[in-house]
Amino acid sequence: MSDVPYREVTTSCNKSSDVVWHQASVSRIERCKNNGHKPVVLWFTGLSGSGKSTIANAVDKMLHDLNCHTYVLDGDNVRHGLNGDLNFTDTDRVENIRRVGEVAKLFVDAGLIVSTAFISPFIADREMVRGQLAEKEFIEVFIDTPLAICEQRDPKGLYKKARAGEIKHFTGIDSAYEAPTQAEIHVETAEKCVEECALQVISYLTQHSYLTSK
Ligand code: ADP
């Protein structure tokens, strides 16, 4: 695995030149050895209702049962706290993803396998987060569910509201979703149960040696 330290990146913040990076005394290789697996971000992207949160949590449970150190960052939950000041304008959506990318990066630095469940509709934003992490520490997981099925599931009743004009800029209805073209993992949920979808992710991690510290 890489021992690239959590590094500074260009952000939208006006950082003072007096802010100096403090080197951590525990390296990520040492954390990785203790944890017995490699740290990585599993970036779940897909339409609302596609199954991001459901599958991310199923993956998290499987990894937890394998004694991995994990966490799930969920779009709706983060908007209750850290990103509670943001709304759904294009600018705020970008800032939402930028902050989540930074938090995910901290979790990776702490040695965790972090699953994030955000629609993250724009390719440029997802690539921005990929660019914030070392190679192999960002895995894009495309939860590919046709719009018609998402709308049929409508777990939170949001499509109904969007169709009624009560929610504006709703992804898939009147706001674009840019599907990944080269996601590391492409999960087509329409014909599979949640467990099969989650196992597809676990199997990728196993095959690519993420679940070992070597
Ligand atoms: P998202 O996080 O993408 O908005 P959710 O996970 O909140 O989506 O909701 C997806 C809904 O679809 C849940 O009610 C879930 O039980 C249902 N569902 C049915 N089949 C699947 C599947 N194969 N994978 C994921 N979710 C599924």
Side-chain angles (χ1 to χ4, degrees):
M1 68 163 287
S2 93
D3 197 26
V4 181
Y6 178 91
R7 63 199 152 85
E8 295 180 79
V9 290
T10 308
T11 70
S12 58
C13 313
N14 297 317
K15 182 166 56 63
S16 155
S17 58
D18 294 334
V19 179
V20 179
W21 193 258
H22 190 94
Q23 207 57 43
S25 35
V26 180
S27 78
R28 66 172 48 193
I29 285 185
E30 287 166 326
R31 287 186 201 284
C32 180
K33 272 190 199 143
N34 260 16
N35 289 349
H37 61 78
K38 300 184 182 81
V40 67
V41 177
L42 294 168
W43 189 274
F44 291 77
T45 172
L47 293 170
S48 177
S50 59
K52 300 178 297 297
S53 301
T54 304
I55 299 168
N57 277 283
V59 168
D60 194 56
K61 175 80 176 94
M62 288 177 185
L63 290 173
H64 182 78
D65 290 347
L66 292 168
N67 293 323
C68 296
H69 296 66
T70 65
Y71 197 71
V72 178
L73 282 170
D74 187 275
D76 287 340
N77 298 359
V78 170
R79 278 186 181 274
H80 278 274
L82 177 68
N83 291 355
D85 58 325
L86 302 177
N87 58 38
F88 291 88
T89 62
D90 283 354
T91 315
D92 278 8
R93 277 180 195 257
V94 173
E95 178 61 8
N96 184 42
I97 297 305
R98 188 194 70 79
R99 287 186 200 172
V100 171
E102 288 291 337
V103 174
K105 196 164 77 155
L106 284 169
F107 277 120
V108 162
D109 203 46
L112 275 65
I113 298 177
V114 54
S115 298
T116 69
F118 293 81
I119 298 174
S120 46
F122 306 122
I123 291 174
D125 299 348
R126 300 193 298 266
E127 288 306 305
M128 170 182 72
V129 179
R130 188 190 285 277
Q132 285 173 261
L133 288 140
E135 212 196 334
K136 304 235 186 282
E137 287 183 350
F138 179 92
I139 295 176
E140 190 171 33
V141 186
F142 178 25
I143 302 301
D144 186 1
T145 308
L147 176 64
I149 295 183
C150 295
E151 202 163 349
Q152 205 179 354
R153 290 180 184 164
D154 206 5
K156 294 170 190 148
L158 298 177
Y159 283 98
K160 206 167 164 218
K161 284 191 185 169
R163 289 289 184 199
E166 290 166 29
I167 306 178
K168 299 279 176 226
H169 312 297
F170 195 77
T171 304
I173 307 292
D174 56 355
S175 184
Y177 177 74
E178 297 173 358
T181 50
Q182 290 189 313
E184 280 82 358
I185 309 178
H186 184 176
V187 184
E188 292 174 291
T189 77
E191 306 291 330
K192 291 187 206 139
C193 69
V194 173
E195 194 188 8
E196 282 175 292
C197 296
L199 281 172
Q200 188 183 338
V201 177
I202 300 291
S203 136
Y204 180 94
L205 294 176
T206 308
Q207 280 165 19
H208 291 79
S209 306
Y210 282 94
L211 302 186
T212 160
S213 58
K214 307 241 165 33

